[in-house]
Amino acid sequence: DKVLPELIEPYELRAAKLREFLEDVKPSLCYDIVPLADPFGPSVTDPGLQCLVVSEETRRGGEAVNRKRLENGLPELALHEIQLMKDPVRSQNEEEKISSSSLRQRLLGTLLQPPRQDPALPLRPYVIGLTGGTGSGKTSIAKLLGHLGAFVIDADKLGHAVYVPGGPAYEPVVAAFGAEILNKDGTINRKVLGAKVFGNQERLKSLTDIVWPEIAQMAKERVREADAQGKAVCVLDAAVLLE
């Protein structure tokens, strides 16, 4: 449930940075840094511990640790509360304290690693996949990138196009699911079709096996269209891009 968990640094790197900081503060002390596989870690099992450093936010957690220790037959720890440092450069939507969540939010929009060069892929246009669930902001981001000059491919629109009469998926879908999915004008009634596949994994797979390759082919054609227009960047907006 962390903010932007994808941007959390690996444990080994975080532990190394913590050790460097602690040894810089007081190199004469011995530091034992351990990973936490649960909310308590060694705090409820180590009889050698005497003190737990908490903040105003985590005091309740410290009190829970002491309750656990008593259940385990261990003495309570002294709870030493420290004040959290305020972030002097925080923006309006960030936490008041210095926070790793805020630091990760600031990484959005930065290049974390150079693009991987694949000799099998053309250098232009550079294709970016934009994905996420409903309401995640894909459309807004796609519009912003479009205003900056990117060629935007909306996979949802392609999904509608493959179903229209004469479209590449029209006849295979009608053959697979029957004429009862058609409106009076011959178009596919997507609500009726959706009701047929909803909750039925086998039927849903039958549908996606027909439709998704056609959408992918149309997307490739749009990429070629972007190349013909001399576009350097192409953005593919697709809710089920990875699937």
Side-chain angles (χ1 to χ4, degrees):
D1 59 349
K2 292 284 188 181
V3 173
L4 298 171
E6 301 86 354
L7 299 181
I8 294 176
E9 293 178 330
Y11 167 77
E12 293 75 14
L13 179 59
R14 295 161 65 202
K17 288 182 176 180
L18 175 60
R19 182 175 297 280
E20 181 182 10
F21 169 74
L22 294 172
E23 290 177 348
D24 188 47
V25 171
K26 195 161 188 179
S28 61
L29 291 181
C30 177
Y31 300 103
D32 186 18
I33 301 171
V34 297
L36 299 181
D38 59 70
F40 296 107
S43 66
V44 296
T45 57
D46 189 340
L49 295 180
Q50 296 176 300
C51 177
L52 186 64
V53 179
V54 298
S55 67
E56 183 180 355
E57 289 182 344
T58 60
R59 171 168 280 280
R60 290 176 65 183
E63 293 168 351
V65 165
N66 275 336
R67 288 194 295 272
K68 269 288 193 194
R69 284 181 69 87
L70 291 175
E71 290 174 12
N72 293 340
L74 298 174
E76 290 186 330
L77 300 176
L79 299 182
H80 177 71
E81 185 174 319
I82 59 171
Q83 299 299 310
L84 293 172
M85 294 184 67
K86 293 186 177 181
D87 189 341
V89 295
R90 73 182 185 94
S91 63
Q92 191 173 6
N93 65 329
E94 293 178 343
E95 297 183 75
E96 186 176 2
K97 65 179 182 181
I98 292 179
S99 161
S100 59
S101 297
S102 297
L103 296 177
R104 290 196 298 278
Q105 284 181 317
R106 293 171 196 171
L107 286 174
L108 288 174
T110 60
L111 188 64
L112 300 181
Q113 59 186 22
R116 179 172 59 90
Q117 296 295 333
D118 187 337
L121 296 175
L123 293 176
R124 293 170 68 96
Y126 189 82
V127 182
I128 298 172
L130 178 61
T131 191
T134 302
S136 62
K138 293 190 306 301
T139 302
S140 298
I141 296 299
K143 285 181 178 177
L144 286 170
L145 293 172
H147 290 320
L148 291 171
F151 186 96
V152 178
I153 302 171
D154 186 338
D156 193 45
K157 290 181 179 178
L158 299 183
H160 282 80
V162 298
Y163 284 106
V164 299
Y170 179 82
E171 289 188 8
V173 168
V174 173
F177 294 94
E180 63 266 26
I181 66 170
L182 296 177
N183 294 312
K184 291 181 178 179
D185 61 359
T187 58
I188 291 176
N189 187 317
R190 293 180 59 146
K191 287 186 177 180
V192 174
L193 177 61
K196 277 180 170 283
V197 301
F198 183 76
N200 187 316
Q201 290 299 316
E202 187 176 339
R203 285 186 176 181
L204 179 61
K205 185 178 185 307
S206 296
L207 179 62
T208 55
D209 284 349
I210 296 170
V211 173
W212 283 358
E214 299 296 348
I215 295 175
Q217 185 58 39
M218 293 181 76
K220 289 176 183 177
E221 292 170 3
R222 295 283 284 152
V223 171
R224 287 192 286 270
E225 184 182 332
D227 183 32
Q229 294 182 19
K231 294 286 186 177
V233 174
C234 191
V235 176
L236 178 58
D237 173 1
V240 286
L241 175 67
L242 301 179
E243 293 85 349

